[in-house]
Amino acid sequence: MALLLPPDRPAPAAAALLLRALRGEEVPRPPVWFMRQAGRSLPEYRELRRGRRMLDLCGTPELAAEVTLQPVRRHGVDAAILFSDIVVPLEAVGIDVEIRPGVGPVIATPVQTRADLARLREPEPDTDLAALAAAVRLSCDGLGETPLIGFAGAPFTLASYLVEGGPSKAQARTRALMLAEPGVWAELLERLAAIAAAAIETQVRAGAQAVQVFDSWVGSLSAEQYDRHVLPAMQLLLQRIAALDVPVIVFGLGTGHLLERLAATGARAVGVDWRTPLPEAAARLGPAVTLQGNLDPAACLAPWEVCERHARAVLDSAPARGYVFNLGHGVQPQTDPGILTQLAAYVRERHA
Ligand code: CP3
């Protein structure tokens, strides 16, 4: 499997842009990458995925590394994100999880009582997470100077899949458990923080230079609920990551009302979706927190002129320092990859 990049990949000087921007340093232009840049928007991914289960692809290091590199080759983005899924560390400790196409992760036996918690042990790095580490190492070998972002699902978002048994709109059962059984809930989130921490430690030790914690569905909580029921586990997770000395981005969809809380986890950077204007986020979080975002992924489904206009507005509204260009959520599977290539070039060249 060819892991080499073509000769037109960004020069090494641009390679550390992401890390510099995450640290709040002055950079010549904002770095650019896209959440869910690896995956179904790319024909080369769909080709490789044919006849294979998603989780088998994640568990085959050579193939996972190849998929990780595909968007870097094609779009010239400033970072790769490991091709994996937030449920991979759960599968690694024996949770019976399947990713159903068009649906998402489905858990055969949900976790709903105190007795169920014993199933959520911390993974052993050398055995349970060996394939994850190998995928990171192979990805880094192929990336050269381009940094690799490792990631994990945040405790709340992982809990939502485990408790509901699959994807859900409002996480009603999850929030019901949180309110009705705060003791069980706290232990559940503590165990999930340990699982996420182990996954991130493994990725950083194998070469990931930054990490993102995806708390995609935590926007369904009030600020008070977040403080009481989620922040303690997030702080545990972020404390373990702090020992690794890599920048951490925390992201959640629809978290405009929680931005200060996401920063209070200890994150170096906060991902913002398109509903929160960047100047508002910057004013609320201050210059010590890097912002990442926030082009509406729907803009990438529109003709390029429309996408460009919205991208320009995002870039014009972004802070001069401590900013990473991204979408406000993942790339939609039906996105024309040509638009993403144009968008990455637009961000790279606007300041040239
Ligand atoms: O490019 C990247 O961002 C890296 C790869 C990545 C995937 N999942 C690959 C994937 C990342 C970072 C994730 C994280 C993830 N997984 C999140 C957090 C990010 C977010 O979108 O908010 C969540 C909530 C999941 C759970 C999950 N896994 C969902 C909701 C889905 C989509 C289900 C569907 O078919 O619509 C998945 C499957 C998944 N994860 C795919 C990919 C490429 C599609 C798999 C396929 O069918 O080929």
Side-chain angles (χ1 to χ4, degrees):
M1 189 62 56
L3 293 176
L4 290 173
L5 292 164
D8 65 345
R9 83 158 205 252
L17 264 187
L18 175 83
L19 305 176
R20 285 156 62 197
L22 285 175
R23 288 193 296 256
E25 293 169 18
E26 200 167 332
V27 285
R29 63 163 177 89
V32 48
W33 70 280
F34 308 122
M35 291 188 275
R36 294 282 185 102
Q37 64 188 20
R40 286 173 297 177
S41 63
L42 299 185
E44 57 270 38
Y45 167 78
R46 291 198 297 266
E47 172 72 33
L48 213 149
R49 165 86 162 73
R50 209 174 331 131
R52 292 189 172 97
R53 289 165 62 243
M54 162 70 187
L55 286 173
D56 289 341
L57 196 49
C58 296
T60 311
E62 294 75 15
L63 297 180
E66 165 59 21
V67 176
T68 300
L69 293 177
Q70 285 174 347
V72 181
R73 287 192 198 112
R74 197 189 249 268
H75 306 311
V77 281
D78 295 304
I81 181 160
L82 182 71
F83 179 77
S84 185
D85 195 83
I86 57 169
V87 297
V88 163
L90 301 177
E91 190 194 36
V93 296
I95 297 292
D96 189 354
V97 55
E98 184 53 54
I99 295 184
R100 298 224 180 114
V103 177
V106 173
I107 313 275
T109 318
V111 170
Q112 287 164 343
T113 65
R114 185 176 291 282
D116 294 331
L117 296 179
R119 292 160 54 203
L120 297 168
R121 64 176 174 86
E122 187 168 329
E124 296 293 337
D126 295 338
T127 49
D128 301 322
L129 300 177
L132 183 64
V136 170
R137 278 193 298 269
L138 287 174
S139 299
C140 291
D141 288 350
L143 283 165
E145 304 278 328
T146 303
L148 179 77
I149 302 169
F151 73 90
F156 178 86
T157 291
L158 291 175
S160 76
Y161 287 105
L162 287 166
V163 175
E164 309 283 341
S168 66
K169 277 228 152 34
Q171 296 86 44
R173 286 186 84 119
T174 310
R175 291 185 292 123
L177 178 71
M178 177 182 92
L179 297 175
E181 304 265 15
V184 174
W185 175 260
E187 193 181 334
L188 170 62
L189 260 65
E190 209 171 296
R191 284 172 180 259
L192 292 172
I195 291 173
I200 283 177
E201 284 164 1
T202 290
Q203 293 171 74
V204 171
R205 288 186 185 127
Q209 288 160 286
V211 297
Q212 179 153 328
V213 175
F214 283 96
D215 212 350
S216 303
W217 314 134
V218 79
S220 69
L221 297 186
S222 73
E224 292 69 27
Q225 288 173 330
Y226 189 92
D227 286 343
R228 174 136 189 242
H229 298 292
V230 171
L231 189 57
M234 284 296 278
Q235 285 174 334
L236 272 181
L237 170 59
L238 273 278
Q239 274 160 21
R240 269 179 70 172
I241 303 174
L244 304 169
D245 205 25
V246 292
V248 187
I249 309 155
V250 172
F251 167 79
L253 193 64
T255 50
H257 61 302
L258 299 176
L259 287 186
E260 290 83 357
R261 268 81 183 176
L262 298 192
T265 61
R268 187 73 194 68
V270 170
V272 179
D273 87 8
W274 60 93
R275 283 164 279 207
T276 304
L278 291 175
E280 182 195 324
R284 281 167 55 193
L285 298 182
V289 178
T290 289
L291 300 182
Q292 176 175 281
N294 71 344
L295 181 67
D296 186 340
C300 301
L301 302 175
W304 168 245
E305 296 68 35
V306 176
C307 183
E308 179 184 352
R309 177 154 42 86
H310 288 272
R312 184 184 313 127
V314 166
L315 286 162
D316 287 345
S317 71
R321 237 181 228 237
Y323 171 64
V324 177
F325 183 89
N326 205 316
L327 309 182
H329 196 201
V331 170
Q332 294 281 323
Q334 69 272 37
T335 306
D336 170 1
I339 293 276
L340 297 177
T341 303
Q342 271 184 290
L343 180 56
Y346 179 73
V347 179
R348 283 200 312 270
E349 286 154 21
R350 221 173 73 110
H351 293 258

